[in-house]
Amino acid sequence: MPEIHLDGAEITVLKAIGLGGTSVSGDTLIERIPGLEEAEIMDTLRGLITLGYLMSDKRSLYDLKDVAIANFHVNSGYARELKEALDPRLRQKPRKSRRVRRE
């Protein structure tokens, strides 16, 4: 699987939602990311949903009113890769073979 690269706004949104698989209401999400402008929030959410990293129960998000009434959660299929993208120390190192060559 290709490595995931996230920008600052995407990292902020994903941390506000959490990677544990629980759902977060739009109101709570907006409260947790006060430093982002409305346009940046909308672009970031649409991008994450388009890529499949984020799931929403509302199909169309046009403004913050739509975001406020929606619920969001991280796609569980990408949770591990997103955790690694947020914290590079979690990247798994290639495992060494258990086989031992005997001479």
Side-chain angles (χ1 to χ4, degrees), residues 2-60:
E3 193 172 311
I4 297 175
H5 298 283
L6 302 171
D7 66 9
E10 292 169 339
I11 291 171
T12 302
V13 169
L14 288 173
K15 284 184 177 181
I17 292 172
L19 299 174
T22 58
S23 184
V24 174
S25 70
D27 288 334
T28 304
L29 178 62
I30 293 170
E31 288 174 11
R32 290 181 183 176
I33 51 175
L36 297 178
E37 298 294 325
E38 179 178 354
E40 194 171 13
I41 294 171
M42 298 306 300
D43 287 342
T44 302
L45 288 175
R46 287 183 192 137
L48 290 170
I49 290 170
T50 301
L51 291 171
Y53 301 153
L54 190 63
M55 307 298 284
S56 173
D57 62 351
K58 189 151 173 47
R59 291 181 83 59
S60 56

Side-chain angles (χ1 to χ4, degrees), residues 17-103:
I17 292 172
L19 299 174
T22 58
S23 184
V24 174
S25 70
D27 288 334
T28 304
L29 178 62
I30 293 170
E31 288 174 11
R32 290 181 183 176
I33 51 175
L36 297 178
E37 298 294 325
E38 179 178 354
E40 194 171 13
I41 294 171
M42 298 306 300
D43 287 342
T44 302
L45 288 175
R46 287 183 192 137
L48 290 170
I49 290 170
T50 301
L51 291 171
Y53 301 153
L54 190 63
M55 307 298 284
S56 173
D57 62 351
K58 189 151 173 47
R59 291 181 83 59
S60 56
L61 301 172
Y62 296 111
D63 56 10
L64 284 183
K65 292 177 194 172
D66 293 333
V67 172
I69 60 174
N71 292 308
F72 300 93
H73 67 276
V74 172
N75 186 345
S76 61
Y78 291 105
R80 181 182 306 152
E81 289 82 9
L82 290 170
K83 284 180 187 178
E84 291 173 1
L86 291 175
D87 188 4
R89 295 177 293 170
L90 296 177
R91 288 197 179 108
Q92 294 181 356
K93 297 175 185 172
R95 289 185 170 185
K96 293 183 179 179
S97 175
R98 289 186 170 189
R99 295 179 130 185
V100 177
R101 185 174 177 176
R102 298 176 192 226
E103 302 201 25

